[in-house]
Amino acid sequence: MKKSFLYIVIFIFLFAASGSARVKLPEFSFIGKEIGKITVKPSFADINIKFKAESSVNIYLEKLKIKHQKIDKNDYSFEEPGFFFGGTVRTAIASIFVGNKAYRNYIAKKFFQKEYLHVVDGYEKYAEKLKGGDFETEIKLFYAIALMETSNPNKAVEILEELSLNNDNVSFFAQDKLFEYLNRTDNLEKKVAICGKLSHFTEYSLNSCLDTYYKKDLYDEIISISDKNSNLIDKNKQLLVYKIAAQYAKGDLKNVAKYDPDIYKDVVAYIADANLEKGELNKAESMINRIDQKDVKDFYQLKLAIIKKDITYIKSNLNNIATDNNKLFLVLYYISKNFDNLDIVLLKNLKFEKPVYYDYINFYIGLYLVKEKEYMEASTYLNKISFYEELIENSIFYLGVCYYYTDYGLSDIFFNRYLGVGKDPEKLNIARYMIAQFLFVDKKYDDAIKSLDKCDLIQCNELKAEIFFNKGDYNKAASLASFVITDRGFLIAASSLFNLKNYEGALQYLNKIQNANRESNFLKMLTYFKLGDIPKGLDIYKKYNYDREFTENAVLYLYLGNYYSDVINILQTKDKITAEQELMLANSYFSLGNHNESVKRYFDLIDKKVYIYESAMAIFSIAQQNKDAKMLGNILSKVSNLKFENKDTLLISMIRYLFENGDKRIALEHINKFVKSFPTSNYLKEAYILRGYINESLGFFDDCIKDADRVIDYNPKDEEAYYIKAICSKKINKDTSLKIFEELVNKSVRFKEVSLKEIVSLSDDPVQISNYLPQVKAIDLLLYYKTLVRMLGLLEVRKDFPEYDKYIDELIASRDESFVPAGYYYKSVLMYTKNDTKTALNYAMRCHYLFPKSHFTYKALQLAMQIYKKNGDQESAKKVEDIIKNYDKGGN
């Protein structure tokens, strides 16, 4: 049974769902990240400790001043060392008599008299003489301080930094002086740089560095220098608060909770908070009650209430937190602890002095609504964010998420906006992935691939493979998917190989899928069918026999594979099947030889006015096989008044069958109806041709010629129309018929041979016949000999054999009993016309003796008798006459 009724290119396109169904938003954990990240600090988070460590440089200078007052005046009596030895020569001598100490005492005197310009001038004047001396670094310290007191603090800082890095006593005083200045100017960046270079500290410099690091959130550095300088911290335990604060900031609550809040009162809030987070609520509450500052105590009491989920206390007191910053921290903390069940009314009723803080409220309400899948309402809150850059960026991303569920166009716009402003790598990847999917749905495959270039998500690699699959580049798709070690990647690879007809390879990837689903099982079923493993394919089908798509494809594959029994087993159990499946079921019964069941189902389809042509054609085929004229009549009657596609094709086939099988008058009746019913049919020419043959067979030659002329008028080059006209003209106008046949011999390949046969059979002109003899001989030797006999018969009537003796010899040489007697006879006739009676008698009697049963023998005997009589041999003539009489009586 032909299966051309099915549109069958089973093209596995696993992703051929609707556009909206194909776009998938990957799972993400950003919401957890957003609610767990509280970047807002309470206003009291910065430790404000009064420096209890004093700068040692002031003590040092005071001691030097007292010492200076006791200096013997004999150490110097002039304004400057070496005054008496001034001048070129005297300077040289002075260098011998005036020592390092003198220069030091001179500069010290000026320093303590606060004559800083003289200190600067004196140091710069005697710097070379002080190098390497016992007082070089000390005098340099005076110089640096003098510079700081005059007009060059930058150079002073440079010198003090240099001195601080030395490993001597002066370095400690230099450190303290340096940090006095830096603390006064609050140059945090400079302090961070210098603190990182120091290997040893004073209490004052350590205090300064710890404070600086804390202000810059450099918690690792705080912990590091605290541990390295534990000896100093032991002397001044208050310095440890910075380490406690750093540990708190880094989340090391276990260690923070261990500290004694009575000793470290500055960070009692942190210690209490650490115990809160550890769940030591009673202990934490006791510490909170000991906090002196009301705003801090209120803050932690609310935090304790949040942990206890005391919503009544929260609602009563949250708005009473005075500072916006502290209130916001608590709000965010509440959100982080209660995000699964937020009280949106509570959040909406919050009041802030600064409008910018409402960005956080709108953001987290929007985020909560995203979690609750209330996307339209979520978008209204996310669209209100307008102040904080980070929240604006994230809201743009989440608006893309919201609109994914409601408006693909807007979703695409927001994800594209996020690409322009976003910084989170994971969100950027998802934005690229979503944009690529939108482009994919719009079949903008090249743009989609570009969008995926910088995407690191495994889904992006899956999508890239899927895009090449949709572009029909199955080799590229299979190559890309082979590196995607996911179930989806395996499925894409398998689908690609399936379309490449590599079914074994497809099955290998399908077997790698860990969590088989409907889609993968669907392809696996088809793959088993393709591999001819029908039982395994059917095992999968049985699990999904309720699924329409599985049934459709299983039946289709089994049908195409000629597994008709399986097709019947599946479809006959279904309460409802499609018209196409009904046809496949009928065809399956037909193919298995169950014609009664198949005919019944074909007629059912015709009654439903579906697949009329296919069903009628099948019934027609069965009628032909069984030579069942009644069935053929039934189907003709059934479809004659129905409208359906290819009806003219069906009818012309049936009419031809009727004509070829003897029902010529019925065939003529139906072909006349056909011509009237289908005046524009593509088969109209064929109908006229067929009607011409039918009319010719019934002797209606004029009607036959009219149909031929209709076709010729439409197409003057139609060879079959000329052929029909020729055969129909034979009985009406032989000359016209012969003329057409001759034209066909010269111009037609299809009708050349048959036209040759018609000419040599129809023509009465031996010359005309002889002209075509070489062509006849080339195509049909038997016809050639028959034609020779006919042509010689025409010549015999005319008693004229000019140059035809070669054809007589060919008949004799044929050695064929059908033609040799004719050769002998015509040879005798030829010889007789040439008055060679002896030879004529010889061939005539040879015909009698060798072929006594041939009808040419009778003619040969008559010629022999005529010759004997002419020659006066009456006796022989009498003998031959007796033989002839015996022939007339039916004897030999």
Side-chain angles (χ1 to χ4, degrees):
M1 188 69 212
K2 288 186 180 180
K3 301 169 184 175
S4 57
F5 70 93
L6 297 168
Y7 177 70
I8 301 171
V9 178
I10 298 212
F11 183 70
I12 294 305
F13 195 81
L14 296 173
F15 320 106
S18 67
S20 59
R22 269 187 279 170
V23 179
K24 301 293 183 186
L25 182 68
E27 292 183 7
F28 54 83
S29 58
F30 303 137
I31 291 178
K33 183 167 68 174
E34 313 294 8
I35 64 173
K37 181 178 65 175
I38 301 177
T39 57
V40 178
K41 282 186 184 178
S43 60
F44 49 82
D46 295 328
I47 302 171
N48 186 15
I49 304 168
K50 294 178 180 178
F51 294 148
K52 295 182 180 179
E54 295 184 2
S55 172
S56 60
V57 69
N58 296 323
I59 299 171
Y60 166 68
L61 292 176
E62 190 62 33
K63 287 180 180 179
L64 278 182
K65 184 175 181 181
I66 294 169
K67 187 177 179 181
H68 168 263
Q69 291 170 352
K70 296 177 181 180
I71 293 174
D72 189 347
K73 290 188 178 180
N74 291 329
D75 285 343
Y76 56 89
S77 57
F78 301 101
E79 287 298 308
E80 294 184 50
F83 173 78
F84 180 76
F85 306 99
T88 305
V89 177
R90 286 181 294 171
T91 301
I93 297 171
S95 65
I96 297 172
F97 293 100
V98 180
N100 217 274
K101 186 175 182 181
Y103 290 113
R104 177 251 193 177
N105 290 340
Y106 169 75
I107 292 174
K109 176 186 175 183
K110 296 299 181 185
F111 179 82
F112 292 123
Q113 291 173 350
K114 297 187 179 181
E115 297 181 18
Y116 298 120
L117 289 174
H118 288 286
V119 175
V120 172
D121 292 341
Y123 178 82
E124 292 175 354
K125 188 173 183 180
Y126 304 122
E128 289 299 320
K129 294 178 175 59
L130 293 167
K131 278 187 178 179
D134 295 336
F135 305 105
E136 179 183 0
T137 56
E138 186 179 75
I139 295 169
K140 200 168 188 178
L141 176 61
F142 294 159
Y143 174 58
I145 295 171
L147 286 171
M148 194 169 285
E149 295 294 336
T150 55
S151 60
N152 201 342
N154 291 336
K155 188 173 182 181
V157 168
E158 185 180 326
I159 295 169
L160 289 172
E161 182 178 349
E162 178 189 336
L163 292 172
S164 297
L165 297 176
N166 294 335
N167 193 16
D168 57 18
N169 288 332
V170 173
S171 68
F172 293 108
F173 307 129
Q175 278 186 38
D176 285 359
K177 190 63 183 177
L178 175 59
F179 279 101
E180 276 184 14
Y181 174 76
L182 293 176
N183 287 335
R184 190 167 63 251
T185 59
D186 201 26
N187 189 338
L188 294 179
E189 299 299 333
K190 185 66 176 176
K191 283 195 283 185
V192 168
I194 294 172
C195 290
K197 296 177 183 178
L198 296 177
S199 59
H200 55 279
F201 296 83
T202 66
E203 284 186 36
Y204 184 80
S205 63
L206 179 60
N207 201 148
S208 299
C209 286
L210 288 170
D211 187 67
T212 300
Y213 282 153
Y214 189 74
K215 289 176 178 175
K216 295 293 288 182
D217 297 331
L218 299 173
Y219 306 121
D220 289 330
E221 285 80 352
I222 291 173
I223 294 169
S224 177
I225 65 167
S226 295
D227 290 342
K228 289 177 182 177
N229 295 275
S230 57
N231 57 327
L232 290 175
I233 291 176
D234 287 342
K235 295 177 184 178
N236 188 347
K237 291 189 179 295
Q238 285 306 306
L239 291 174
L240 193 63
V241 297
Y242 289 104
K243 181 179 178 181
I244 297 171
Q247 289 174 318
Y248 176 80
K250 286 176 66 63
D252 186 5
L253 304 182
K254 182 178 179 182
N255 280 315
V256 173
K258 293 177 182 178
Y259 294 109
D260 187 342
D262 292 327
I263 297 175
Y264 304 106
K265 293 182 178 180
D266 289 319
V267 287
V268 65
Y270 287 173
I271 300 171
D273 197 25
N275 281 279
L276 277 179
E277 295 296 336
K278 279 183 64 184
E280 299 283 349
L281 301 187
N282 292 333
K283 188 176 178 182
E285 188 171 9
S286 174
M287 294 179 189
I288 292 168
N289 290 332
R290 283 184 280 171
I291 296 174
D292 295 330
Q293 291 175 265
K294 183 180 184 304
D295 59 336
V296 177
K297 181 182 287 188
D298 291 344
F299 178 90
Y300 281 105
Q301 284 177 336
L302 257 170
K303 188 170 183 183
L304 177 62
I306 290 170
I307 294 173
K308 289 182 175 181
K309 297 189 182 297
D310 187 348
I311 194 66
T312 303
Y313 186 89
I314 295 169
K315 286 183 177 180
S316 299
N317 294 279
L318 187 53
N319 262 325
N320 296 331
I321 298 296
T323 307
D324 276 356
N325 204 58
N326 295 348
K327 186 187 297 184
L328 180 61
F329 179 92
L330 288 168
V331 170
L332 297 182
Y333 188 75
Y334 163 76
I335 290 170
S336 70
K337 294 296 183 183
N338 297 276
F339 195 73
D340 287 338
N341 189 25
L342 279 185
D343 187 334
I344 294 180
V345 176
L346 168 66
L347 297 180
K348 288 180 179 179
N349 290 333
L350 289 171
K351 304 296 181 185
F352 293 97
E353 292 181 7
K354 296 180 180 178
V356 294
Y357 284 96
Y358 289 105
D359 270 7
Y360 284 94
I361 305 305
N362 289 323
F363 179 75
Y364 284 104
I365 291 177
L367 208 58
Y368 176 75
L369 291 170
V370 168
K371 181 186 75 70
E372 294 296 303
K373 299 182 180 179
E374 296 179 20
Y375 302 110
M376 285 301 292
E377 190 176 356
S379 66
T380 62
Y381 285 95
L382 294 170
N383 274 312
K384 293 178 182 179
I385 299 164
S386 56
F387 293 101
Y388 285 109
E389 182 179 346
E390 184 179 3
L391 295 180
I392 291 170
E393 289 174 12
N394 287 328
S395 68
I396 290 171
F397 175 83
Y398 285 110
L399 281 167
V401 172
C402 290
Y403 290 124
Y404 158 74
Y405 294 98
T406 58
D407 188 327
Y408 272 10
L410 282 174
S411 181
D412 187 21
I413 289 170
F414 277 99
F415 280 126
N416 269 295
R417 281 182 61 189
Y418 187 78
L419 286 186
V421 299
K423 299 180 181 66
D424 186 296
E426 198 172 353
K427 288 192 179 95
L428 286 168
N429 275 335
I430 286 186
R432 294 185 185 105
Y433 176 61
M434 295 303 295
I435 292 165
Q437 287 190 94
F438 295 136
L439 292 167
F440 173 67
V441 168
D442 290 340
K443 297 184 179 180
K444 296 177 181 178
Y445 298 133
D446 292 337
D447 291 336
I449 290 170
K450 288 178 184 177
S451 180
L452 294 171
D453 281 346
K454 294 181 181 179
C455 181
D456 300 324
L457 294 177
I458 195 165
Q459 291 98 326
C460 290
N461 294 328
E462 287 177 355
L463 180 57
K464 191 177 290 186
E466 193 171 340
I467 290 168
F468 280 104
F469 181 93
N470 275 34
K471 290 179 74 175
D473 190 343
Y474 304 122
N475 286 306
K476 182 72 172 177
S479 175
L480 288 170
S482 66
F483 293 101
V484 181
I485 312 303
T486 66
D487 284 353
R488 186 66 177 173
F490 296 145
L491 182 59
I492 297 169
S495 302
S496 302
L497 293 173
F498 186 95
N499 280 284
L500 291 169
K501 295 182 170 44
N502 182 353
Y503 305 117
E504 291 285 357
L507 186 59
Q508 287 178 9
Y509 276 103
L510 288 168
N511 286 334
K512 291 181 180 182
I513 294 174
Q514 296 295 313
N515 299 303
N517 56 19
R518 177 190 177 280
E519 200 172 19
S520 61
N521 280 328
F522 178 74
L523 180 59
K524 199 169 191 178
M525 177 188 74
L526 298 183
T527 303
Y528 278 131
F529 287 155
K530 279 293 186 181
L531 290 170
D533 198 340
I534 304 304
K536 286 185 179 178
L538 286 173
D539 285 343
I540 295 173
Y541 168 72
K542 289 172 186 175
K543 298 175 183 177
Y544 295 90
N545 61 5
Y546 58 87
D547 189 303
R548 182 180 58 81
E549 190 174 8
F550 269 80
T551 298
E552 285 179 357
N553 283 274
V555 167
L556 187 55
Y557 266 86
L558 292 168
Y559 178 77
L560 292 173
N562 301 330
Y563 297 100
Y564 302 117
S565 295
D566 292 312
V567 172
I568 293 170
N569 289 338
I570 291 173
L571 292 181
Q572 69 181 0
T573 63
K574 301 293 180 184
D575 294 332
K576 187 176 181 180
I577 60 176
T578 65
E580 183 182 70
Q581 289 167 348
E582 286 183 20
L583 181 59
M584 284 191 280
L585 185 57
N587 286 345
S588 296
Y589 280 117
F590 173 88
S591 298
L592 293 175
N594 189 343
H595 290 172
N596 289 337
E597 185 66 28
S598 64
V599 168
K600 174 187 172 185
R601 292 182 178 276
Y602 287 134
F603 274 114
D604 285 345
L605 286 167
I606 293 170
D607 289 339
K608 294 175 183 177
K609 295 182 173 56
V610 290
Y611 291 111
I612 299 172
Y613 170 77
E614 293 81 7
S615 299
M617 189 63 84
I619 295 171
F620 174 40
S621 176
I622 293 169
Q624 289 180 78
Q625 287 184 37
N626 299 331
K627 296 183 179 179
D628 190 335
K630 182 179 178 182
M631 183 183 291
L632 182 60
N634 287 341
I635 190 61
L636 265 172
S637 301
K638 195 85 171 175
V639 302
S640 59
N641 296 321
L642 296 176
K643 290 183 179 181
F644 58 93
E645 192 174 356
N646 298 323
K647 181 177 180 179
D648 51 350
T649 306
L650 174 68
L651 291 177
I652 204 78
S653 299
M654 289 182 172
I655 295 167
R656 182 178 290 105
Y657 175 80
L658 288 171
F659 165 63
E660 291 172 353
N661 288 274
D663 295 327
K664 295 180 175 58
R665 292 195 176 276
I666 296 175
L668 182 60
E669 178 185 338
H670 283 289
I671 197 68
N672 287 335
K673 289 180 181 178
F674 182 95
V675 171
K676 291 179 181 178
S677 301
F678 300 98
T680 61
S681 170
N682 291 330
Y683 296 99
L684 185 61
K685 185 210 86 166
E686 188 175 340
Y688 283 130
I689 295 289
L690 178 57
R691 191 165 70 174
Y693 284 122
I694 295 171
N695 280 321
E696 189 272 338
S697 69
L698 292 172
F700 303 145
F701 302 119
D702 288 333
D703 292 335
C704 171
I705 292 169
K706 288 177 182 177
D707 282 333
D709 285 336
R710 286 188 180 96
V711 177
I712 292 168
D713 288 342
Y714 179 76
N715 181 9
K717 295 183 179 180
D718 192 292
E719 296 171 353
E720 190 169 13
Y722 284 107
Y723 174 72
I724 291 173
K725 186 173 183 177
I727 61 173
C728 288
S729 298
K730 287 193 296 185
K731 299 288 179 68
I732 297 175
N733 191 330
K734 185 188 291 187
D735 291 340
T736 299
S737 178
L738 283 169
K739 183 179 178 181
I740 296 172
F741 283 134
E742 285 189 303
E743 288 179 2
L744 288 171
V745 167
N746 294 327
K747 296 178 181 180
S748 173
V749 174
R750 178 184 172 190
F751 293 100
K752 179 176 182 178
E753 185 174 331
V754 69
S755 295
L756 279 170
K757 292 177 181 179
E758 288 289 350
I759 291 169
V760 297
S761 300
L762 185 62
S763 177
D764 294 330
D765 184 355
V767 176
Q768 186 180 32
I769 293 172
S770 66
N771 289 336
Y772 294 100
L773 284 175
Q775 295 180 67
V776 173
K777 186 177 183 181
I779 61 173
D780 189 342
L781 189 59
L782 182 63
L783 176 64
Y784 173 70
Y785 289 134
K786 287 181 180 179
T787 302
L788 290 182
V789 172
R790 181 172 182 276
M791 180 183 70
L792 291 171
L794 293 172
L795 291 169
E796 180 186 7
V797 172
R798 299 179 184 185
K799 298 184 175 3
D800 183 13
F801 290 93
E803 305 299 326
Y804 281 79
D805 53 333
K806 65 177 181 177
Y807 296 118
I808 296 171
D809 292 340
E810 280 192 64
L811 289 174
I812 295 170
S814 71
R815 298 184 180 183
D816 189 316
E817 291 184 2
S818 300
F819 305 113
V820 173
Y824 285 151
Y825 169 68
Y826 286 119
K827 188 73 171 181
S828 65
V829 173
L830 178 63
M831 292 298 103
Y832 179 74
T833 59
K834 291 183 177 181
N835 297 316
D836 184 353
T837 56
K838 182 178 179 181
T839 304
L841 280 171
N842 179 278
Y843 277 102
M845 296 311 294
R846 190 183 297 182
C847 182
H848 165 62
Y849 292 122
L850 293 177
F851 303 100
K853 294 183 179 181
S854 172
H855 72 280
F856 282 104
T857 296
Y858 182 82
K859 296 178 71 174
L861 288 172
Q862 287 182 325
L863 178 60
M865 183 179 68
Q866 184 179 343
I867 293 171
Y868 279 129
K869 285 180 178 180
K870 185 178 180 180
N871 292 339
D873 187 351
Q874 296 300 325
E875 183 181 353
S876 296
K878 177 64 176 166
K879 289 179 181 180
V880 172
E881 185 177 7
D882 290 339
I883 295 171
I884 291 171
K885 287 179 180 178
N886 191 38
Y887 261 93
D888 289 337
K889 294 177 181 179
N892 291 329

